[in-house]
């Protein structure tokens, strides 16, 4: 019985030890022995309970502030209680799902994948949209419409073809069919490797965060830094998706690229703004 109790509960073990010490002690010293044994048993019991609480709720560090029940919510203190299925386990979870779109775990996993992949494309797309215009504004030679993102693709049908960044020594394309075929093959293979979590010579990769050979700088080697980078990626990716949507609408309404629209707005804010175009909207 003593062996069983010792292995199952430290407080019970200390109680038996106290009783044993009391029986063996001289009569004159039994009161002192009782106090010492009681203090030791109480201390051990408190330590065991405290240890159990520590294991249930790990100490939150500054690097994990974006995760867990104490993470920031979408409206701060006014957010209320987030849905039960949004526990703060995943990066970018601010406790908002008013339509209940992610209540089903399988749907939630699919939406997470879709959002992250679109966020990464939007980050690349936003950079690709503004970079040629910025370069053209700073003296890099482009053809007439080669720097405007929604007009650049038509350059491939011209006699000289399409030159990436205006330089035929970088990428020169003259056949839309060849370009399409290469894009389908290369992008299709990359997406297949990502979805399956493996590529030739590489196995066991995470479909969303593969790491390994896809992280040559070792940015994800530190788990805490990796957790924070995931949050930064999805936050910036969401902004990039909104930015790309804004670029699309600007192109339809003004027929210009985002940098030219910004230049026009700064030159005459009262005339060149969204409200002015809304009153005389004619798609360009």
């Amino acid at each position: 019985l003593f062996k069983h109790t010792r292995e199952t509960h430290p407080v019970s073990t200390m109680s038996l030890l106290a009783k044993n010490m009391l029986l063996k002690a001289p009569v004159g010293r039994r009161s002192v022995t009782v106090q010492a044994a009681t203090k030791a048993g109480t201390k051990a019991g408190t330590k065991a309970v405290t240890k159990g609480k520590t294991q249930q709720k790990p100490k939150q560090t500054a690097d994990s502030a974006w995760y867990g029940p104490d993470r920031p919510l979408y409206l701060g203190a006014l957010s209320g209680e987030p849905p039960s299925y949004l526990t703060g386990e995943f990066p970018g979870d601010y406790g908002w799902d008013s339509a209940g779109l992610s209540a089903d775990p399988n749907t939630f996993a699919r939406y997470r994948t879709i959002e992250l992949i679109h966020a990464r494309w939007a980050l690349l797309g936003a950079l690709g949209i503004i970079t040629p215009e910025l370069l053209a504004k700073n003296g890099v030679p482009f053809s007439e419409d080669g720097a405007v993102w929604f007009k650049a693709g038509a350059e491939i049908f011209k006699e000289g073809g399409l030159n990436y960044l205006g330089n035929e020594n970088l990428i020169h394309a003259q056949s839309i069919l060849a370009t399409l075929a290469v894009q389908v093959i290369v992008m299709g293979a990359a997406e297949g490797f990502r979805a399956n979590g493996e590529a030739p010579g590489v196995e066991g990769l995470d479909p969303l965060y593969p790491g390994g050979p896809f992280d040559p700088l070792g940015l994800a080697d530190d788990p805490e830094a990796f957790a924070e980078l995931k949050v930064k990626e999805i936050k910036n990716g969401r902004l990039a998706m909104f930015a790309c949507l804004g670029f699309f609408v600007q192109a339809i309404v003004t027929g210009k690229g985002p940098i030219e629209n910004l230049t026009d707005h700064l030159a005459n804010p009262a005339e060149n703004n969204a409200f002015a175009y809304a009153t005389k909207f004619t798609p360009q």
Side-chain angles (χ1 to χ4, degrees):
L1 176 62
F2 178 77
K3 181 180 179 181
H4 174 72
T5 307
R6 181 180 59 191
E7 293 176 350
T8 55
H9 203 296
V11 180
S12 300
T13 302
M14 294 306 299
S15 299
L16 289 174
L17 288 174
K19 182 177 180 181
N20 192 33
M21 292 168 62
L22 178 61
L23 292 175
K24 290 183 178 180
V27 177
R29 298 179 58 189
R30 285 188 180 181
S31 60
V32 178
T33 305
V34 170
Q35 294 177 2
T38 304
K39 183 177 181 181
T42 304
K43 183 177 181 181
T46 304
K47 184 177 181 181
V49 174
T50 304
K51 183 178 180 182
K53 289 183 178 179
T54 302
Q55 291 175 346
Q56 292 175 4
K57 186 177 181 181
K59 183 179 179 181
Q60 191 175 26
T61 63
D63 292 329
S64 64
W66 300 101
Y67 297 86
D70 298 328
R71 69 194 185 283
L73 299 178
Y74 65 103
L75 287 179
L78 301 178
S79 302
E81 189 70 20
S84 59
Y85 50 85
L86 297 181
T87 60
E89 177 184 359
F90 301 105
D93 177 4
Y94 288 90
W96 179 60
D97 185 18
S98 55
L101 299 177
S102 301
D104 178 66
N106 293 329
T107 303
F108 187 20
R110 186 166 63 90
Y111 283 165
R112 281 188 59 244
T113 300
I114 292 172
E115 181 187 37
L116 185 58
I117 298 302
H118 280 78
R120 289 169 177 170
W121 280 117
L123 287 165
L124 291 172
L127 180 64
I129 287 172
I130 65 175
T131 298
E133 271 198 274
L134 287 173
L135 293 176
K137 291 284 186 181
N138 289 276
V140 177
F142 282 86
S143 60
E144 182 179 358
D145 295 325
V148 182
W149 69 272
F150 59 90
K151 297 179 180 179
E155 296 287 304
I156 199 171
F157 299 109
K158 294 184 178 180
E159 184 177 351
L162 188 152
N163 297 318
Y164 187 69
L165 295 180
N167 188 341
E168 63 179 7
N169 295 321
L170 292 177
I171 297 178
H172 176 73
Q174 283 188 304
S175 172
I176 185 64
L177 294 178
T179 302
L180 181 62
V182 170
Q183 187 170 5
V184 169
I185 293 172
V186 173
M187 292 181 62
E191 180 62 12
F193 295 150
R194 182 202 64 79
N196 295 325
E198 60 182 25
V202 183
E203 296 181 354
L205 300 178
D206 187 289
L208 293 181
Y209 303 99
F214 299 98
D215 183 22
L217 299 179
L219 299 177
D221 291 347
D222 180 11
E224 292 186 352
F226 186 31
E228 186 174 350
L229 288 173
K230 288 180 181 179
V231 176
K232 291 180 178 180
E233 178 186 40
I234 194 62
K235 289 174 66 177
N236 284 279
R238 289 167 178 169
L239 287 174
M241 286 190 282
F242 274 102
C244 286
L245 177 61
F247 296 159
F248 299 160
V249 174
Q250 282 182 324
I252 295 172
V253 174
T254 67
K256 301 176 182 180
I259 302 301
E260 186 174 359
N261 276 317
L262 176 61
T263 303
D264 292 343
H265 172 71
L266 294 177
N268 190 351
E271 179 66 23
N272 298 313
N273 57 66
F275 297 104
Y277 278 101
T279 58
K280 50 182 180 181
F281 172 61
T282 303
Q284 299 298 316

